[in-house]
Amino acid sequence: MGIAQILLLVLGAILVNNVIFAQFLGICPYLGVSKKLDTALGMGFAVTFVMTLAVAVTWPIYYFVLNPATSFFNAFMPPDAVPDLTYLATLSFILVIASLVQLVEIVLRKVAKPLFDALGIYLPLITTNCAILGMALLSIQKEYNYPISLVFAFGSALGFILAIVIFAGIRERVELMDVPKAMQGVPIALVIAGIVAMAFMGFAGLGG
Amino acid sequence: MASRSVAAEFVKGVWKENPVLRLLLGMCPVLAVTTSVENGLGMGLAATFVLICSNVVVSLLRSIIPARMRIPCFIVVIAAFVTIVDLVLQGFFFELSKSLGVFVPLIVVNCIILGRAEAFAYKNGPFYSMIDAMGMGVGFTLALMTVGTVRELLGNGTWLGFAVPPFTLHPWIIMILPPGAFITLGLLVAGMNWLTQQQEAKRRQAAREARLAKGGTA
């Protein structure tokens, strides 16, 4: 894959196949943490960090342990005795991601206190964020190789930041508006998301 | 806790605490797979199966699972059932499995299921946990089907694949596309809010009239 194709992949992940507006992954933090611009940014950075890290860890697990064609069992077993563990992908990924987030939290608290203060409160929320597990599963499904998977995850996370930041900016203004009582809070947020999603549809076809 | 009514536990999940329209949980699949009623129904049933099984198992194991380790234990139980559902769908309903895509394994991180394990099954017996899961599952499925109905009718002019005459004339493609999902769900949640507020206002009005009838002050 050439540099131009990689750029197209990133651009596609940010704009065309945006995690929120096109793939509907990670709606909960998107609606929950988008009331203020600075918390939205914090959440966005935490998601970027964990999403890239999660794909960095789950990809080798899939290809070196679960997948019978390439697993490390091949080194000391005849090919027909190698177990096919791919059905364990969901289970092992979610456990690995959950413990990874815990580990990151502990390490950050010791090593990088400022970063921990910035991301700390968002990290536990991220464990059950479907965007993280979704991206880990998608990069396996799409059969990307290791570097491309990482680029794909990072690009998607940038798309998440873009979506949540645009949305927080709009929501800060909506706070000042006279919204009908039944529409206040989540309903109006969803309708706004729909309109922003319409705007994002303008990117369809860009780079395939 | 035998005095609790089974019906009340069930209805709670369908209406008063509807997981999607009231508690606003598990929105990702609701938005993503509801391009048709069929997909919504399939997703709803898959999640309901996982919900019932995991609630019963968590409830049976609740004396063994240590409090500090409970979330990882719940996740393992849920993930096991999700894997079963995923394999069954792939084996027997390949088309459905393909259109639900990554959202079948993502049932693992659906907040409704983990939420019910934590809030209900860990504290209650297996029978009530099952009823609770059935109520929540039906509520989730109904919400999915409602969104699916609106989107499929307006966006495609069909319901469960059958053409519905007045809607076939001018299908609004936008309803099948992502923006339609957000707007439909937003308006449905608003409608739910409006109904609750109306009921609330009526109840307050009735209470005030009752006080006045007794000769008190308003």
Side-chain angles (χ1 to χ4, degrees):
Chain A
M1 226 181 226
I3 197 86
Q5 274 152 310
I6 290 176
L7 266 176
L8 272 181
L9 181 78
V10 174
L11 216 60
I14 296 176
L15 297 175
V16 185
N17 297 315
N18 187 287
V19 256
I20 302 279
F21 298 127
Q23 308 195 54
F24 302 111
L25 293 169
I27 303 287
C28 302
Y30 177 65
L31 291 173
V33 208
S34 60
K35 289 206 181 101
K36 285 220 182 71
L37 204 56
D38 49 343
T39 48
L41 260 178
M43 187 69 191
F45 285 129
V47 165
T48 311
F49 188 60
V50 175
M51 195 182 272
T52 317
L53 211 60
V55 172
V57 174
T58 53
W59 194 95
I61 289 179
Y62 185 82
Y63 282 102
F64 293 130
V65 182
L66 302 178
N67 190 348
T70 49
S71 81
F72 74 96
F73 293 113
N74 282 308
F76 49 87
M77 266 185 199
D80 50 336
V82 173
D84 182 355
L85 300 175
T86 43
Y87 66 91
L88 284 177
T90 313
L91 208 159
S92 57
F93 282 12
I94 184 68
L95 284 180
V96 166
I97 291 171
S99 28
L100 182 79
V101 172
Q102 289 280 313
L103 200 73
V104 166
E105 215 180 327
I106 295 167
V107 170
L108 277 188
R109 191 179 301 168
K110 279 279 170 216
V111 180
K113 197 75 174 63
L115 194 62
F116 176 78
D117 290 337
L119 303 185
I121 49 168
Y122 306 108
L123 286 176
L125 292 172
I126 285 177
T127 316
T128 52
N129 180 341
C130 50
I132 308 288
L133 182 63
M135 217 40 73
L137 290 166
L138 275 178
S139 54
I140 300 294
Q141 247 176 38
K142 296 191 178 212
E143 297 179 346
Y144 288 144
N145 64 22
Y146 194 53
I148 295 297
S149 295
L150 290 181
V151 170
F152 174 62
F154 186 69
S156 302
L158 289 184
F160 181 83
I161 296 189
L162 183 69
I164 201 168
V165 165
I166 289 180
F167 195 52
I170 299 174
R171 262 185 112 170
E172 278 189 346
R173 294 186 176 213
V174 171
E175 291 285 295
L176 307 172
M177 310 249 166
D178 187 17
V179 178
K181 207 172 152 216
M183 288 290 285
Q184 276 167 16
V186 171
I188 190 75
L190 281 168
V191 173
I192 295 170
I195 296 170
V196 181
M198 261 185 235
F200 265 73
M201 277 173 56
F203 295 115
L206 187 80
Chain B
M1 284 198 269
S3 62
R4 244 180 357 195
S5 123
V6 174
E9 284 299 334
F10 182 78
V11 172
K12 173 192 76 181
V14 178
W15 185 253
K16 209 173 86 203
E17 292 184 18
N18 185 297
V20 179
L21 301 176
R22 269 295 150 67
L23 306 181
L24 305 169
L25 293 174
M27 310 264 256
C28 302
V30 178
L31 292 167
V33 305
T34 51
T35 47
S36 72
V37 181
E38 193 190 347
N39 287 352
L41 184 63
M43 183 72 205
L45 292 181
T48 306
F49 171 78
V50 176
L51 191 54
I52 293 175
C53 295
S54 71
N55 249 20
V56 170
V57 170
V58 165
S59 170
L60 287 173
L61 295 177
R62 71 187 190 283
S63 53
I64 309 173
I65 298 175
R68 295 193 58 178
M69 284 295 288
R70 64 184 192 284
I71 301 287
C73 293
F74 297 164
I75 290 181
V76 173
V77 171
I78 296 168
F81 287 114
V82 169
T83 308
I84 294 173
V85 167
D86 195 11
L87 293 178
V88 168
L89 283 181
Q90 272 174 32
F92 298 103
F93 304 95
F94 186 64
E95 283 302 314
L96 182 66
S97 155
K98 233 175 33 192
S99 52
L100 296 182
V102 77
F103 284 92
V104 177
L106 282 182
I107 297 176
V108 176
V109 282
N110 191 317
C111 337
I112 299 170
I113 296 170
L114 193 61
R116 285 337 275 175
E118 164 84 9
F120 200 93
Y122 196 56
K123 299 174 190 142
N124 290 282
F127 180 67
Y128 278 106
S129 298
M130 190 179 80
I131 299 296
D132 173 75
M134 279 159 75
M136 285 289 161
V138 170
F140 183 62
T141 311
L142 281 180
L144 276 162
M145 283 184 70
T146 313
V147 181
T149 302
V150 174
R151 290 182 70 190
E152 198 186 329
L153 266 184
L154 295 179
N156 203 24
T158 56
W159 193 80
L160 256 179
F162 299 107
V164 183
F167 296 103
T168 38
L169 290 176
H170 290 285
W172 307 350
I173 309 294
I174 194 87
M175 296 306 282
I176 296 285
L177 297 170
F182 284 109
I183 293 171
T184 308
L185 186 60
L187 293 180
L188 274 177
V189 174
M192 259 326 236
N193 283 349
W194 184 78
L195 271 180
T196 328
Q197 283 160 10
Q198 292 288 312
Q199 278 171 351
E200 184 78 0
K202 216 176 272 171
R203 230 194 41 237
R204 245 181 283 143
Q205 178 74 22
R208 195 160 53 223
E209 271 164 17
R211 263 206 313 279
L212 279 174
K214 267 194 224 156
T217 48

